[in-house]
Amino acid sequence: MAKYVYFFGPKGTEGNASERNLLGGKGANLAEMCLLGLPVPAGFTISTECCTEYFKLGGNFPKSLAAEVAEALKKTEAAMGMKYGDADNPLLVSSRSGARSSMPGMMETVLNVGLCTKTIPGLVKKSGNERFVYDAYRRLITMYSDVVMEKAEGIEPAEGQGIRVQLEKIMHEHKKSKGVTEDTDLTVDDLKKLCNEYKAKIKQVLGREFPDDAMEQLDGAIGAVFKSWNGKRAVSYRRIEGIPDDWGTAVNVQSMVFGNMGDDSATGVAFSRNPATGENKFYGEWLVNAQGEDVVAGIRTPSPLNEETKNDQNRHLQSLETEWPELYKELHDIRDKLESHYTDMQDIEFTIQDKRLYMLQCRSGKRTGTAALNMAMDMLAEGLIDEETVVTRVGASQLDELLHPLVDPAAEKTAEVVAKGLPAGPGGACAQIVFTSTEAVKWANAGKKVLLVREETNPEDVEGMRAAEGILTARGGMTSHAALVARGWGKCCIVGASELQIDVAAGTMRVGKEMFKQGDYLTLNGTKGLAYKGQLAMIDATENPRFQKFMEIVDKYRTMGVRTNADTPEDATVARGYGAEGIGLFRTEHMFYGEGSEEALFQLRKMILSSTDEERQAGIDGLAPFVKKDIKATIEAMDTLPVTIRLLDPPLHEFAPSTVEGQKEMAKALGTTVEEIEKRVEALHEVNPMMGHRGVRLGITYPTLTEMQIRAIFESMKELKAEGKNPKPEIMVPVTCAVNELNVTKKIYDRVKAEVDPSLDVPYGTMIEIPRACLLADKMAETAEFFSFGTNDLTQMGFGFSRDDIGGFLNEYIQQGILEADPFQTIDQAGIGQLIQMAVEKGRATCGKLKIGICGEQGGDPASVEFCFKNGLNYVSCSPYRVPIARLAAAQAAIAAKKS
Amino acid sequence: MAKYVYFFGPKGTEGNASERNLLGGKGANLAEMCLLGLPVPAGFTISTECCTEYFKLGGNFPKSLAAEVAEALKKTEAAMGMKYGDADNPLLVSSRSGARSSMPGMMETVLNVGLCTKTIPGLVKKSGNERFVYDAYRRLITMYSDVVMEKAEGIEPAEGQGIRVQLEKIMHEHKKSKGVTEDTDLTVDDLKKLCNEYKAKIKQVLGREFPDDAMEQLDGAIGAVFKSWNGKRAVSYRRIEGIPDDWGTAVNVQSMVFGNMGDDSATGVAFSRNPATGENKFYGEWLVNAQGEDVVAGIRTPSPLNEETKNDQNRHLQSLETEWPELYKELHDIRDKLESHYTDMQDIEFTIQDKRLYMLQCRSGKRTGTAALNMAMDMLAEGLIDEETVVTRVGASQLDELLHPLVDPAAEKTAEVVAKGLPAGPGGACAQIVFTSTEAVKWANAGKKVLLVREETNPEDVEGMRAAEGILTARGGMTSHAALVARGWGKCCIVGASELQIDVAAGTMRVGKEMFKQGDYLTLNGTKGLAYKGQLAMIDATENPRFQKFMEIVDKYRTMGVRTNADTPEDATVARGYGAEGIGLFRTEHMFYGEGSEEALFQLRKMILSSTDEERQAGIDGLAPFVKKDIKATIEAMDTLPVTIRLLDPPLHEFAPSTVEGQKEMAKALGTTVEEIEKRVEALHEVNPMMGHRGVRLGITYPTLTEMQIRAIFESMKELKAEGKNPKPEIMVPVTCAVNELNVTKKIYDRVKAEVDPSLDVPYGTMIEIPRACLLADKMAETAEFFSFGTNDLTQMGFGFSRDDIGGFLNEYIQQGILEADPFQTIDQAGIGQLIQMAVEKGRATCGKLKIGICGEQGGDPASVEFCFKNGLNYVSCSPYRVPIARLAAAQAAIAAKKS
């Protein structure tokens, strides 16, 4: 029979930190802290396996669970010297979720479980604080009715009709009738009365009594946590984070300790180092006479832990260090112990009850990219971790954040500060403000950049936060919801900018006398906590010398190559700066887009719109000098490094003039009528251009077009060599589905090479971007000297998803969990991955040393980079700004492979 | 060392009929006839392997070949009692191609090889016919210079500048100067003079002497035949027939016998039964004092073999039976011997030299569909072949021909006959006339139906013949080029309609006083040999009782099911008549197309153009009765047989009103402006609709649309059952790429089923038409109860070929041999076939009994049917008219599998 329950306490702890898959992160670390001898209130963890079983049983506990819980509860009672449900010496417990991977605020928690008619008097006697007990009872009733009796039962009340809101209304009216504003102004009698009214309301609204039996409360609280794994918010968060649905959550039932038992009690959250900057200083916040949720919710501005980390927002408040020096020292020692034990920055929750310190949680702390980099390099210097660990300590998205723009300091000097807040997520963001998550998503989907401005954020806001460039809140501290989530995603974020007066309904925000409305521009400096009016200039953030040093270490452990997709000498130069080892994709067609392209485009149009072979050839001849100039400049910029030049790829219709003016110009150039040109443009139109006359198909039907391009490449190379350069162009044929396409084109290659200079060595390869090319990769490799996966098209055709048209359904697919992720962002390993694997195997079966790369946009996605590494690719190629991320992901994949 | 040369003769023959891959069809049968003791002029076959080697060596003979040829030549000389290149008793030989599979007229032949200054006197003495010898020499020079010295050298002269044309011009002028019109009017001196002028012209044009050495002539003639394998015509023919390029041709070097040695000589072609009707009568044509090419070329109208097969065109001519009864009897005995030996109708070439009969060729004869069917059934009755052989004797394309339309006899009664000719290819055709192959192809590509009308056809015309509905020639007999090719393809064809006066340059045709021009309509009755003016009504040709009996035998050996793709009760009824065992694809969207669809389309548009959920639901509700009525009628028509109903598939934009009028109507219906409707229509537009918002994707975003369809199916079934019927609907979800799409839709299915009647059994399956669905077929099979391959889309996405847009390049791909066939006609087994195989294996790994079918258009293509059989599919589904063909192909595949 499976074991589901694992006790933790001063002795007899059954789990440890390595068992996070079974016990969840929180449970595993509670057990580990117990093993380290830290003061953890005893309790037990119900495993994730039990959660899975619970859903399998249609929302029922496995039969064996009750006995295991009873036994663990007994051990807990013994450790705490109290008894659950006892009239005289009652033990209260909390029931908290804890998945493998942290999902802050996404699942449910019930506190003060076990408080009922029978146990209240005992607790009053024991605590000597009747008000505290009834306040705890009120909190239990509110939380329990909301989480266990409503949400877990699948009841979906109309907006504002939820039981929690209705109970809060009662409280609000009570306060109003008494003429008070703060909860703390309520007397014991008020609270008693409230509790009774609450219970009556619950009966009326939910049709059930609030349970007055301790064991019934416990069962309900455990089940509700399990159920919250499939709550809407949790599911939505898992989609974004790519967490599988079948992991499940553990439930941690832990003895309650109270930070809100009076002025000798407190609660706090701390980081062993600064999570925003990485600075090696103990950093945290605490609140006297409060429960943990008060700190995280950001309703009261918390006090600093110590003197050295005070800031402008909390300088006036008393630090724990000065208030209770001994307790601070005890906590600081624990911090040291945890850091040297885990060899990583820890995020700690603690509670002080009657001046006694309890540890409620420790876990590896979320951090900004800057912090991750700085901590890793510091810890390397401190001898705490080795180089390989350094490489794994900075996540790809954190590195991404480091590469994100900053507000230009020069621009900041003269800018008008709108508001000051806490620097919760560093970096800069400049965008239009919106006041709801819904608007943020809507605007972002419409292609606009937005800043989400909120009074404070809650888990309902996660999608809006995801969609926004940056987040600005009026309330909350550095460990508030907004701050945690933003840092996790590497988003620019300012919290606690208390001057903001937000009117969501009106869509406005007032700061002092100034009024801002939805759509107005602000610029945030998340590193300083400053919000500026209007749009400020932004700059790059890559000049950090530690970043350079870090990337050197990364490259030491990396075995797979990293190239870039670049179309101009400028891009090529940028990418070289970022460490690109060549160009994996040079798109010859870029020269026809944008400014300065007019003349080349004119020649191309002449070719496209020709009506005879002679006219077409004249167009191609006219085009030749442009193509050559362009190719030559880029391979020169990449001198000594390989440049994979893709032959012309897009359907010609893309370049045809669509305006009357453009058509007039071409009519004149070709000596015909506008009507005729219009007709020719129309004839080029395709129903599904993505699967039309493009890529190598153009080269097959217009072989002289191919010849012109290939000649430009050979001639450029020859000329550069004559200048003493070392150019390394490679020729890549796009959109192939049959080896004969390569053979036909190769004949042109061979002839041109013989004509220009037979000694020039230009590798001849192909994109693998059509499913059939993967299926016949063994044949393709008979002629191709290298493969480069075009995962954009491969994904389009493998899924039958047109990138241009997925707007109508892809979101729905992600939301409903039909697909786990957008396959254009990250390689669909289950499906498209099979095609890639097949092509690698087949290609290498024909030619063992076949060079294989990837140049689709997923080439810069860390999971995709790892996939490429595992499948033995020689290199990935991505946009210039993703090059460092790909280098890191490749190094991490190599280290992971070495370790496993 | 490989053996390349195989001798055949009265004794010591080295090959036999089973070696056609090695010796080619002609060579293998020459050897077999020798083994049967028939009078075959001795010779030898150079194998197809030698041809392959020849190309590998860059157009050079393998070193060992010369010695082998010398040895075989010695044996040949011994058998014939003559000596090659000898001055006194010279042997002449022919060099002919012979591939595995007959390619009539596509490759080259050189006759009279070995005739030169040295051997001429000896032959003159031996034959006693100087005129014959110089005529033979003239023919050799013409043929050799054309085939060996020009074509085989890759020389491509301008139109009308070829050496053959130039030599013919000399002859023409010579005749003109002498005032004669026939070749036979030329004297020995004329011919001698001509030969000299020919040789001078050759020297002048080609820069080389005509070779006067017998061995040099032989080498040249062998090499030229090999080279003709890669001639333009042969390659083009192979593309059409799907013959692989690497098969190669054999070369048959055979002792010459002369049908043109005088009036005791003759040549002929015969079929052991009538190749047009199948009638069991010896059927053929012969010409006194002629070479074989004269019969085939159709320049002289040949005589009939015997009395019983005389027809209106040759009734006045003397039959072989009456002219030379003994020779006729000898030939008739050989005919009987060959038929009982090969147990199949034989196509025979013979020559009579000095009243002695020689067999030059025998092979299985090409025949019309009607003939194939009749012969097979006759031979079964005669005990010559068994039932399995009967099934294999009718090709799928021959059956197709049987299913082709005939001219309505009622319409024929009153129709105006334009011309009479020989009934070379049966069936009817009604189309517009064109006079060149080029025009035929052009018109056909433009979607028009054409009849190719020619003086006579030659191998250059094959593509035009292929493109035409029917062929009409002014000259030639039943064994002429046009007749042979047309019968091979099952095309309606009339030859020898000598009243026609065709002016290709003017694009006109005169018959008596009547003038026809390009584009005029004619109707051909190829069974009777009559051409009618204008467009006559056509009828079906399936009422032949032998056809019914044949199909019964076919079904006895068939193991795979055959269904039909049908969208209406009418189609369903037709398909049932053709033997369909169910509907494999019922497209629910058909109801929105064409006449009578207005109201359903209006409701659909209301849904499509709705701006709110309520409006959309109203549209769906309005649609429901139409959908139900349609589904119910079709499953009723197919009562007791399964009907696979595909949920709505096409992108909605297809149905949106594009005209202002249509948009006005919808604006009124939805109470909004035309501008607004226009905007909504525009919003539905997709860049690549084939990969857009369609199929199951519609069902995911509009679940109530899915629900409405599923409900209509269950309700129809329930109602029909209540009426005592046995309806068998199946639900098929299109365009799936992930099992979760099926799971989400299945929830709706389950709910609706529970609501309507939980006892109803409706299999729930999916199209497999997206590459990813194949890759993840194991997952798909977790929910799908059946698969049906949608090979149209699978081919589109697997190749990245949009069917709507391949016009720009697919022809070029086939022409250049990049692809062997149009993958939309026949499954691309090498590529798409892998996906199918994978999906079958993976699907059955999850569910061993998974039912799998195919409903793409290739379901009616014989090669694809065989592929499906080999891969273990349960059924194929095709258009109603292809059902008998699919049944036959499936039976043939089963028999082939049993035999191998």
Side-chain angles (χ1 to χ4, degrees), chain A residues 685-694 696-697 700-701 735 737-738 740-741 744 770-776 778 796-806 808-809 812-813 816-819 828 830-832 834-835 838 842, chain B residues 685-694 696-697 700-701 735 737-738 740-741 744 770-776 778 796-806 808-809 812-813 816-819 828 830-832 834-835 838 842:
Chain A
H685 174 77
E686 294 185 310
V687 180
N688 297 288
M690 189 57 65
M691 304 197 292
H693 196 178
R694 56 177 286 232
V696 69
R697 300 163 196 174
I700 299 290
T701 49
V735 198
C737 70
N740 282 339
E741 294 170 320
V744 166
I770 301 281
R772 191 176 191 267
C774 296
L775 296 164
L776 294 170
D778 45 346
Q796 291 202 96
M797 288 160 201
F799 274 89
F801 282 178
S802 161
R803 275 191 89 160
D804 293 317
D805 304 311
I806 47 173
F809 59 92
E812 201 74 35
Y813 267 53
Q816 295 193 32
I818 293 172
L819 294 177
D828 160 52
I832 305 306
Q834 284 189 51
L835 287 174
M838 193 184 296
K842 289 185 180 222
Chain B
H685 175 77
E686 293 186 307
V687 180
N688 297 288
M690 190 56 67
M691 305 196 291
H693 195 176
R694 56 178 286 233
V696 68
R697 300 163 195 175
I700 299 289
T701 49
V735 198
C737 69
N740 282 339
E741 294 170 319
V744 166
I770 301 280
R772 190 178 192 265
C774 296
L775 297 164
L776 293 171
D778 46 346
Q796 291 202 97
M797 289 162 201
F799 273 90
F801 282 178
S802 161
R803 275 192 88 160
D804 294 316
D805 305 310
I806 48 175
F809 59 91
E812 200 75 34
Y813 267 54
Q816 294 193 32
I818 292 172
L819 293 178
D828 160 51
I832 304 306
Q834 284 189 51
L835 286 175
M838 193 183 299
K842 290 185 179 222

Side-chain angles (χ1 to χ4, degrees), chain B residues 725-779:
Chain B
K725 299 272 171 45
N726 184 13
K728 293 191 166 174
E730 306 179 331
I731 291 177
M732 181 158 72
V733 185
V735 198
T736 50
C737 69
V739 68
N740 282 339
E741 294 170 319
L742 288 174
N743 294 339
V744 166
T745 310
K746 183 75 187 325
K747 279 189 192 152
I748 299 173
Y749 168 102
D750 288 337
R751 183 162 50 75
V752 172
K753 175 173 169 167
E755 285 167 14
V756 178
D757 181 351
S759 77
L760 295 175
D761 183 27
V762 179
Y764 176 79
T766 185
M767 293 280 279
I768 298 285
E769 56 187 332
I770 301 280
R772 190 178 192 265
C774 296
L775 297 164
L776 293 171
D778 46 346
K779 301 278 176 204

Side-chain angles (χ1 to χ4, degrees), chain A residues 702-722:
Chain A
Y702 307 130
T704 55
L705 178 63
T706 302
E707 176 170 344
M708 179 272 284
Q709 296 177 78
I710 292 177
R711 191 175 297 279
I713 293 164
F714 276 107
E715 286 181 353
S716 300
M717 186 178 183
K718 189 179 175 185
E719 290 168 16
L720 287 168
K721 283 198 125 181

Side-chain angles (χ1 to χ4, degrees), chain B residues 295-309:
Chain B
V295 185
V296 177
I299 293 166
R300 286 157 62 188
T301 298
S303 309
L305 263 199
N306 50 31
E307 295 302 302
E308 64 177 353
T309 61

Side-chain angles (χ1 to χ4, degrees), chain A residues 435-702:
Chain A
F435 300 105
T436 68
S437 181
T438 317
E439 285 299 308
V441 170
K442 213 163 94 184
W443 287 48
N445 283 345
K448 291 179 186 166
K449 294 188 169 184
V450 295
L451 300 176
L452 179 62
V453 180
R454 297 284 285 162
E455 187 69 21
E456 60 186 315
T457 68
N458 61 48
E460 267 84 18
D461 289 320
V462 285
E463 289 185 47
M465 295 169 78
R466 178 78 178 186
E469 299 296 305
I471 297 139
L472 172 62
T473 73
R475 292 202 284 176
M478 286 294 280
T479 52
S480 67
H481 177 266
L484 286 175
V485 172
R487 274 205 295 280
W489 284 336
K491 268 202 205 292
C492 168
C493 175
I494 299 173
V495 297
S498 50
E499 303 106 303
L500 306 184
Q501 289 178 286
I502 299 163
D503 184 339
V504 174
T508 59
M509 165 178 101
R510 178 188 295 277
V511 191
K513 285 179 186 165
E514 198 139 20
M515 192 70 139
F516 297 85
K517 58 182 196 307
Q518 177 167 290
D520 284 348
Y521 276 93
L522 287 188
T523 301
L524 306 187
N525 180 335
T527 313
K528 292 187 183 167
L530 295 174
Y532 300 100
K533 194 174 170 182
Q535 305 181 60
L536 266 60
M538 310 293 283
I539 55 160
D540 281 341
T542 51
E543 290 311 306
N544 181 347
R546 292 191 120 176
F547 170 79
Q548 304 295 346
K549 179 70 194 149
F550 174 77
M551 291 308 298
E552 273 170 35
I553 299 175
V554 162
D555 279 350
K556 239 164 113 174
Y557 294 90
R558 176 167 63 86
T559 56
M560 185 168 64
V562 175
R563 297 192 186 182
T564 191
N565 302 342
D567 302 334
T568 61
E570 296 72 38
D571 279 1
T573 307
V574 167
R576 263 193 116 137
Y578 278 126
E581 296 160 325
I583 292 182
L585 176 63
F586 173 76
R587 285 167 283 241
T588 42
E589 59 269 22
H590 81 93
M591 76 175 79
F592 305 117
Y593 298 113
E595 265 180 62
S597 67
E598 297 76 9
E599 223 180 321
L601 183 60
F602 174 76
Q603 295 297 337
L604 180 69
R605 286 180 171 172
K606 264 172 66 179
M607 182 225 139
I608 293 174
L609 298 171
S610 59
S611 65
T612 65
D613 287 351
E614 290 68 33
E615 274 180 24
R616 175 171 308 119
Q617 194 54 47
I620 291 173
D621 293 344
L623 211 47
F626 295 95
V627 171
K628 184 169 158 193
K629 186 180 155 212
D630 191 65
I631 286 172
K632 192 174 169 186
T634 300
I635 55 181
E636 188 174 9
M638 269 287 166
D639 198 47
T640 74
L641 295 178
V643 176
T644 309
I645 301 163
R646 180 175 73 180
L647 301 181
L648 197 64
D649 180 71
L652 297 183
H653 184 253
E654 273 193 21
F655 304 108
S658 55
T659 63
V660 175
E661 221 161 83
Q663 295 181 355
K664 261 187 195 158
E665 183 194 25
M666 294 320 298
K668 202 175 150 196
L670 291 167
T672 181
T673 62
V674 182
E675 291 70 35
E676 174 61 22
I677 292 294
E678 205 186 332
K679 222 184 282 169
R680 293 184 197 170
V681 169
E682 184 49 37
L684 285 167
H685 174 77
E686 294 185 310
V687 180
N688 297 288
M690 189 57 65
M691 304 197 292
H693 196 178
R694 56 177 286 232
V696 69
R697 300 163 196 174
L698 293 171
I700 299 290
T701 49
Y702 307 130

Side-chain angles (χ1 to χ4, degrees), chain B residues 476-494:
Chain B
M478 286 296 278
T479 52
S480 66
H481 177 265
L484 287 175
V485 172
R487 275 205 295 282
W489 284 337
K491 269 202 205 291
C492 167
C493 176
I494 299 172

